[in-house]
């Protein structure tokens, strides 16, 4: 279905309209994509149902106008649809009060950031949006946008540039700071964003950096709600079912989990009213979610893509794939984890399997496969590192890593082109071109310090395991490699 059909037929239908007064903004959110809308905006809306105090949101897109164009025609109100095989529940979300496209109007973003009325700056900018060099554990000072922002903080391009510019104004004018709340799938996301903000501020003014480190809170948070990119067909179906044309519609599972470290610079919404968990330490929750969910998601994405499967639900309809991820959970992932309070890791993974099986969620393997170089370290490689240190087997995850390495060549097992979206896509292409054999290629990829931690790069056991898995994949293809692996581990 193409967008011209949407334009001609559905445009005649009414768009969502605001039926509650617009709220005074107290949150500024960077990264207004589908996940922000199905999660942050939607859960803040839930809080509002129960609370007199309201937290309006200014949504900020750094560059793209796409989401703005969809929302501006409907006063920033949109629908979120929770789907399962049993039910569909629609919620109209009106927590977004304003929307700014920073590239077009950076001054408006800076003005709002320097206004004390904004008490929280939240982020869903994806892993790469942090410009965090995980090898050196600092801000990536070689990134051109960071270089530009450090030279010209009057007109920032990056989230970290805007945050520091906003905090600088507050510091200079003696105003109270805002809290910076990361909602991205990174371990210790609060500590990561604090580090990049301090690295940036230090270059500008060490006194500012000192003030930030003393006054500004950077709570970590674990976020979870499966939200695939909305398709044109979803918008058409929604229009037919509900009589509304909503191009900003988001579709997601009913399940959500948001665990936030309770550490805020000024005020915060009464998050508990929406079932959000406020805790003193979120680390175990983050690890559990990143390794159990995102780790198997990425494994299914690469192996599934190479097997010719379009979606996670399609992967999971094959018994061998189910067996494989159950094996990953039981033998390779759960043994590296400590259960957070109130969680049972086996129950957590069983529930996850049910979530993957949701037939109404069409989550493309290609979408999850994006930005693998940024995702693999915390989803899979840290687990493997733990297993290696404990001299435990990691053959299951080795196969997933090998599948990513194959995927990164940009050519699948049948010789067809893969549209690889990754900040390191160019590096992969250069390495693939230079390598005389598959073995050389794998070896050079394993040398990438931006992806693989030193302990893995230097381990001959690790290198050999990945080389063997890669050979298996090239010889037998994805599904048969999984079958062989399962036979081997069951012996
Ligand atoms: C997915 C996540 O796209 C991906 O990489 O693994 O977006 C996943 O759906 C969410 O983290 C679930 O909370």
């Amino acid at each position: 279905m193409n967008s011209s059909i949407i334009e001609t037929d559905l445009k005649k239908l009414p768009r969502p309209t605001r039926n509650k007064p617009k709220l005074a903004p107290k949150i500024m959110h960077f990264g207004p994509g589908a996940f922000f809308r199905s999660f942050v905006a939607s859960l803040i809306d839930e809080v509002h149902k129960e609370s007199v105090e309201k937290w309006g949101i200014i949504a900020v897109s750094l560059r793209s106008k796409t989401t703005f164009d969809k929302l501006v025609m409907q006063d920033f109100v949109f629908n979120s649809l929770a789907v399962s095989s049993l039910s569909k529940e629609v919620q109209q979300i009106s927590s977004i009060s304003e929307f700014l496209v920073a590239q077009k109007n950076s001054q408006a973003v800076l003005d709002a950031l320097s206004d004390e009325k904004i008490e929280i700056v939240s982020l869903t900018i994806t892993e790469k949006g942090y410009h965090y060099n995980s090898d050196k554990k600092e801000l990536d000072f070689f990134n051109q946008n960071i270089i530009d922002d450090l030279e010209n903080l009057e007109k920032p391009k990056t989230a970290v540039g805007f945050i520091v510019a906003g905090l600088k104004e507050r510091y200079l004018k003696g105003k109270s700071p805002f809290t910076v709340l990361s909602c991205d799938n990174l371990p210790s996301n609060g500590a990561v964003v604090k580090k990049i903000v301090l690295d940036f501020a230090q270059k500008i003014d060490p006194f500012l950096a000192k003030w930030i480190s003393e006054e500004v809170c950077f709570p970590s948070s674990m976020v979870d709600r499966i939200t695939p990119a909305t398709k044109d067909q979803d918008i058409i179906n929604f229009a037919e079912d509900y009589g509304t044309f909503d191009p900003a519609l988001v579709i997601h599972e009913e399940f959500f989990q948001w665990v936030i470290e309770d550490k805020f610079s000024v005020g915060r919404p009464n998050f508990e009213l929406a079932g959000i968990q406020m805790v003193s330490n979120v680390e175990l929750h983050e690890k559990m979610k990143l390794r159990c969910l995102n780790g198997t998601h990425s494994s299914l994405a690469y192996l599934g893509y190479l097997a010719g499967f379009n979606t996670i639900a399609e992967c999971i309809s094959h018994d061998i794939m189910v067996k494989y991820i159950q094996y990953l959970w039981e033998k390779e992932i759960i043994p590296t984890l400590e259960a957070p309070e109130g969680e049972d890791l086996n129950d957590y993974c069983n529930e996850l399997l049910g979530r993957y099986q949701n037939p109404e969620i069409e989550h493309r393997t290609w979408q999850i496969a994006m930005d693998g170089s940024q995702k693999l370290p915390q989803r899979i490689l840290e687990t493997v590192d733990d297993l290696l240190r404990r001299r435990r087997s990691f053959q299951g995850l080795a196969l997933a890593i090998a599948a990513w390495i194959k995927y990164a060549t940009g050519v699948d097992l049948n010789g067809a082109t893969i549209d690889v979206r990754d900040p390191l896509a160019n590096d992969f292409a250069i390495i693939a071109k230079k390598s005389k054999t598959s073995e050389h290629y794998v070896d050079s990829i394993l040398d990438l310090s931006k992806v693989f931690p030193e302990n893995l790069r230097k381990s001959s056991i690790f290198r050999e395991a990945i080389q063997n898995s890669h050979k298996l994949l090239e010889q037998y293809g994805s599904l048969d490699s999984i079958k062989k692996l399962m036979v081997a581990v069951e012996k």
Side-chain angles (χ1 to χ4, degrees):
M1 209 63 53
N2 62 40
S3 47
S4 63
I5 295 178
I6 287 195
E7 294 200 350
T8 46
D9 287 344
L10 303 182
K11 260 189 162 175
K12 293 172 201 141
L13 290 173
R15 301 282 286 257
T17 47
R18 193 178 286 276
N19 51 23
K20 292 178 195 152
K22 205 177 243 185
L23 306 171
K26 293 173 88 167
I27 299 175
M28 174 172 272
H29 184 91
F30 285 87
F35 180 69
F36 156 70
R37 303 204 298 284
S38 78
F39 192 80
V40 180
S42 150
L43 293 173
I44 292 292
D45 217 68
E46 285 296 323
V47 171
H48 291 161
K49 286 186 188 155
E50 309 292 329
S51 150
V52 269
E53 200 196 354
K54 312 286 183 209
W55 289 71
I57 304 173
I58 303 180
V60 179
S61 162
L62 287 170
R63 270 174 297 274
S64 161
K65 262 183 93 243
T66 318
T67 310
F68 174 83
D69 289 341
K70 291 175 187 165
L71 280 166
V72 72
M73 306 282 286
Q74 45 199 60
D75 202 12
F76 312 123
V77 171
F78 64 95
N79 288 284
S80 106
L81 188 63
V83 292
S84 73
S85 55
L86 300 174
S87 70
K88 280 195 168 60
E89 204 184 311
V90 64
Q91 187 195 356
Q92 178 165 307
I93 316 283
S94 38
S95 52
I96 304 179
S97 307
E98 256 180 76
F99 196 123
L100 299 168
V101 178
Q103 200 178 33
K104 298 240 167 286
N105 199 356
S106 58
Q107 195 50 50
V109 179
L110 292 172
D111 290 347
L113 279 172
S114 66
D115 185 338
E116 274 179 328
K117 288 193 196 98
I118 295 297
E119 296 187 35
I120 296 176
V121 171
S122 52
L123 308 166
T124 50
I125 51 177
T126 79
E127 297 85 348
K128 60 177 180 277
Y130 289 79
H131 303 301
Y132 180 65
N133 180 330
S134 57
D135 182 28
K136 294 193 175 150
K137 308 227 174 317
E138 63 179 25
L139 181 65
D140 182 0
F141 289 108
F142 293 100
N143 180 278
Q144 193 54 49
N145 288 333
I146 296 293
I147 296 171
D148 294 347
D149 279 5
L150 280 166
E151 268 171 22
N152 179 14
L153 201 53
E154 255 86 86
K155 213 174 175 307
K157 294 177 180 165
T158 64
V160 64
F162 275 106
I163 291 171
V164 175
L167 287 171
K168 184 176 162 207
E169 269 302 295
R170 302 245 185 150
Y171 163 70
L172 292 176
K173 305 248 163 74
K175 295 181 184 174
S176 54
F178 47 76
T179 301
V180 183
L181 176 60
S182 165
C183 306
D184 280 293
N185 283 318
L186 286 167
S188 308
N189 49 16
V192 168
V193 70
K194 181 172 185 175
K195 176 71 178 133
I196 57 160
V197 166
L198 289 180
D199 284 349
F200 194 109
Q202 189 68 35
K203 293 263 177 206
I204 296 185
D205 174 359
F207 291 105
L208 169 65
K210 185 166 180 290
W211 179 79
I212 294 176
S213 85
E214 285 165 3
E215 302 295 328
V216 182
C217 291
F218 297 85
S220 283
S221 80
M222 181 270 244
V223 294
D224 189 9
R225 176 170 258 178
I226 293 176
T227 309
T230 312
K231 301 184 301 302
D232 286 352
Q233 189 59 52
D234 298 326
I235 294 166
I236 294 168
N237 295 346
F238 186 82
E240 280 168 6
D241 293 348
Y242 298 91
T244 305
F245 173 45
D246 184 358
L249 170 76
V250 277
I251 302 211
H252 54 83
E253 60 180 343
E254 220 170 275
F255 177 97
F256 80 87
Q257 191 176 17
W258 196 359
V259 189
I260 309 179
E261 187 184 357
D262 200 356
K263 189 175 77 177
F264 284 73
S265 310
V266 230
R268 67 160 174 86
N270 199 342
F271 285 117
E272 293 90 337
L273 293 174
I276 296 160
Q277 294 161 257
M278 304 304 295
V279 298
S280 57
N281 189 333
V282 65
E283 220 173 281
L284 295 180
H285 285 97
E286 284 181 321
K287 249 190 185 177
M288 169 182 79
K289 193 257 171 167
L290 283 166
R291 293 187 182 190
C292 295
L293 191 160
N294 299 112
T296 53
H297 236 189
S298 290
S299 304
L300 288 172
Y302 299 114
L303 286 161
Y305 185 96
L306 294 179
F309 303 148
N310 256 317
T311 64
I312 293 294
E314 196 182 339
C315 293
I316 289 298
S317 68
H318 293 259
D319 288 347
I320 191 69
M321 289 290 220
V322 173
K323 251 182 150 180
Y324 168 66
I325 58 166
Q326 282 174 328
Y327 165 78
L328 291 184
W329 282 323
E330 194 189 324
K331 302 284 186 210
E332 300 190 3
I333 299 176
I334 291 180
T336 68
L337 294 171
E338 192 185 320
E341 209 185 305
E343 296 283 355
D344 176 289
L345 295 171
N346 292 313
D347 292 351
Y348 180 81
C349 292
N350 282 335
E351 188 179 7
L352 254 178
L353 183 59
R355 292 169 62 194
Y356 289 173
Q357 281 161 336
N358 187 338
E360 300 298 318
I361 294 280
E362 281 186 49
H363 208 173
R364 289 178 68 193
T365 46
W366 178 79
Q367 190 191 346
I368 299 166
M370 253 184 243
D371 294 344
S373 69
Q374 316 290 302
K375 292 175 174 175
L376 241 62
Q378 58 276 16
R379 296 180 174 206
I380 296 180
L381 302 178
E382 284 182 12
T383 315
V384 171
D385 200 0
D386 281 354
L387 292 167
L388 199 65
R389 285 174 200 275
R390 295 179 205 179
R391 296 174 197 278
R392 291 185 68 122
S393 152
F394 57 91
Q395 306 170 68
L397 290 171
L399 192 62
I401 298 168
W404 169 69
I405 292 177
K406 178 68 206 163
Y407 183 94
T409 57
V411 181
D412 73 12
L413 292 159
N414 301 316
T417 306
I418 307 174
D419 179 6
V420 179
R421 304 275 175 97
D422 193 296
L424 298 190
N426 266 342
D427 302 52
F428 304 151
I430 293 167
I431 292 173
K433 212 169 163 196
K434 272 201 207 148
S435 306
K436 295 208 169 64
T437 62
S438 283
E439 225 172 315
H440 282 146
Y441 165 73
V442 173
D443 229 27
S444 308
I445 294 284
L446 294 178
D447 284 337
L448 290 172
S449 62
K450 281 187 185 160
V451 182
F452 295 95
E454 195 183 2
N455 189 42
L456 297 187
R457 267 181 285 137
K458 289 200 168 150
S459 161
S460 52
I461 300 176
F462 177 69
R463 284 185 178 259
E464 203 185 311
I466 304 301
Q467 286 286 5
N468 289 341
S469 299
H470 193 263
K471 279 185 200 132
L472 199 68
L473 273 177
E474 289 205 313
Q475 194 173 349
Y476 297 103
S478 181
L479 274 190
D480 282 347
S481 297
I482 299 176
K483 280 183 197 150
K484 283 189 182 298
L485 170 78
M486 296 320 293
V487 171
V489 296
E490 272 164 9
K491 267 191 195 146

